[in-house]
Amino acid sequence: PAPAGLPGDPEPEEAVSDDSSRHGGRVRGFPHERGNWATHVYLPYIAQEEFLELLELLVSCARSYVPSLAAMEEFHLSLSQCVVLRYHWIEPFVRSLRERLAAFHRFFCVADQVKVYTNQNKTRTFIGLEVSAGHFQLLELVSEVDGVLEEFDLPTFYKDPSFHISLAWCVGDLSGRLEGQCLRELQDIVDGFEDSAFLLRIQWEQIRCKSGNKYFSFPLR
């Protein structure tokens, strides 16, 4: 549902802090400007107890290589980059997303390949589970989301994307420490985890869009 206070109401104030020490040293991808709302389209993943047990094993192993690694608190699979929307664009942007995504059905994918990622400006490093099955359906979704982004002259998603669920992160480009032996050990943990084949076969039931502090949900049929 559209949040209260969107059409016709004066633009709300957003609480803003660029003090990176208040959020783990993370650096803003673009400067904050009043009226700009950071916006992201994604598939939410609700972690079960078994998944959190696997996460604990993986993070514990990886911290022997990068002690500053922090586990993610929420999990998702991105269908867009983080883009900037003007406040008065939010309602038509969400309406267009809803129209384009209305025909999509629920589907499964498998996310079981451990991979190391860095963000574009190399300020953060991530450990993620890359999708090994279900890639085609994800590309179809991205195509529709990209169509909406193009309507608003916003950057589309990456070409040949590596769809993944991020598990843990650290500040800086520490990919060199996590790749190689560490990555092999992490993959062995995933492959050997009890019921991992069942656990990492994920059914997606809804798409979400986060814009500033507002959330919008698009259920899959």
Side-chain angles (χ1 to χ4, degrees), residues 25 27 36 45 48 58 68 88 133 160 178 183 187 191 196 206:
V27 178
N36 283 352
Y45 175 63
Q48 305 299 316
L58 293 170
S68 62
H88 59 277
D160 302 318
L178 292 170
L183 194 60
Q187 189 64 58
D191 294 343
S196 64
Q206 64 171 303

Side-chain angles (χ1 to χ4, degrees), residues 28-120:
R28 208 179 257 283
F30 41 81
H32 176 79
E33 183 179 321
R34 189 176 185 275
N36 283 352
W37 289 56
T39 301
H40 178 219
V41 182
Y42 61 95
L43 292 160
Y45 175 63
I46 308 302
Q48 305 299 316
E49 183 178 350
E50 294 87 349
F51 183 85
L52 297 177
E53 291 173 2
L54 173 59
L55 175 67
E56 186 176 351
L57 290 173
L58 293 170
V59 172
S60 177
C61 174
R63 278 183 179 152
S64 64
Y65 293 87
V66 176
S68 62
L69 204 69
M72 304 293 289
E73 296 179 357
E74 295 181 350
F75 307 94
H76 66 268
L77 188 150
S78 292
L79 299 175
S80 79
Q81 300 186 58
C82 187
V83 298
V84 177
L85 270 184
R86 299 297 294 173
Y87 177 74
H88 59 277
W89 289 351
I90 297 175
E91 185 186 18
F93 182 86
V94 169
R95 184 170 58 244
S96 186
L97 272 180
R98 196 176 301 282
E99 291 170 356
R100 282 181 172 266
L101 299 174
F104 280 89
H105 291 77
R106 299 178 182 186
F107 66 98
F108 286 94
C109 76
V110 177
D112 60 359
Q113 300 300 305
V114 185
K115 192 167 179 179
V116 176
Y117 299 89
T118 56
N119 61 356
Q120 283 183 301

